[in-house]
Amino acid sequence: MLHPRMLPKCIAAIVLWLTTIALGIVDVYFVRQIFFGLYARVSRAHQPAILFGDVIVVLVAIGVVAFIIISTEFHRQHFCRHESWDVFAWTLVVQLAIPFIAVFIV
């Protein structure tokens, strides 16, 4: 039985979990933009950039799916505990850093 005092904490954990999943999906786009920004600085040929960009999208998407599966299992086992909140904090730092890097590189 869930204690009424724990309800806001559990709702916040679920909202953070869904937020990290959404940010992971959005970060796939930003990683591709980071690649295009870096590639544009070193080369002018656009054909390889499109191919490499598509490969990077597939690899990052596979990584995001793996992250979603692994983090879901971790948060299921450590739901509303200190370990889960630490993982949320680190995940949000990394996932929010990627768009900021994309803004400053591109």
Side-chain angles (χ1 to χ4, degrees), residues 2-40:
L2 185 63
H3 196 276
R5 236 180 25 194
M6 293 291 291
L7 186 62
K9 194 175 185 182
C10 293
I11 291 173
I14 292 170
V15 168
L16 276 174
W17 173 67
L18 292 172
T19 302
T20 59
I21 290 173
L23 280 173
I25 294 169
V26 170
D27 282 344
V28 173
Y29 168 77
F30 284 112
V31 168
R32 186 172 192 230
Q33 294 305 314
I34 290 170
F35 168 74
F36 284 153
L38 293 174
Y39 190 86

Side-chain angles (χ1 to χ4, degrees), residues 1-90:
M1 181 85 183
L2 185 63
H3 196 276
R5 236 180 25 194
M6 293 291 291
L7 186 62
K9 194 175 185 182
C10 293
I11 291 173
I14 292 170
V15 168
L16 276 174
W17 173 67
L18 292 172
T19 302
T20 59
I21 290 173
L23 280 173
I25 294 169
V26 170
D27 282 344
V28 173
Y29 168 77
F30 284 112
V31 168
R32 186 172 192 230
Q33 294 305 314
I34 290 170
F35 168 74
F36 284 153
L38 293 174
Y39 190 86
R41 292 175 190 243
V42 298
S43 178
R44 297 208 186 269
H46 67 282
Q47 294 295 345
I50 295 171
L51 174 67
F52 294 145
D54 291 343
V55 170
I56 286 174
V57 165
V58 170
L59 293 176
V60 173
I62 290 170
V64 167
V65 169
F67 166 76
I68 291 170
I69 293 170
I70 292 168
S71 68
T72 300
E73 281 299 311
F74 181 83
H75 292 303
R76 186 185 62 81
Q77 292 173 357
H78 303 283
F79 189 67
C80 287
R81 287 197 224 145
H82 185 68
E83 298 90 6
S84 180
W85 296 108
D86 287 343
V87 171
F88 279 136
W90 282 105

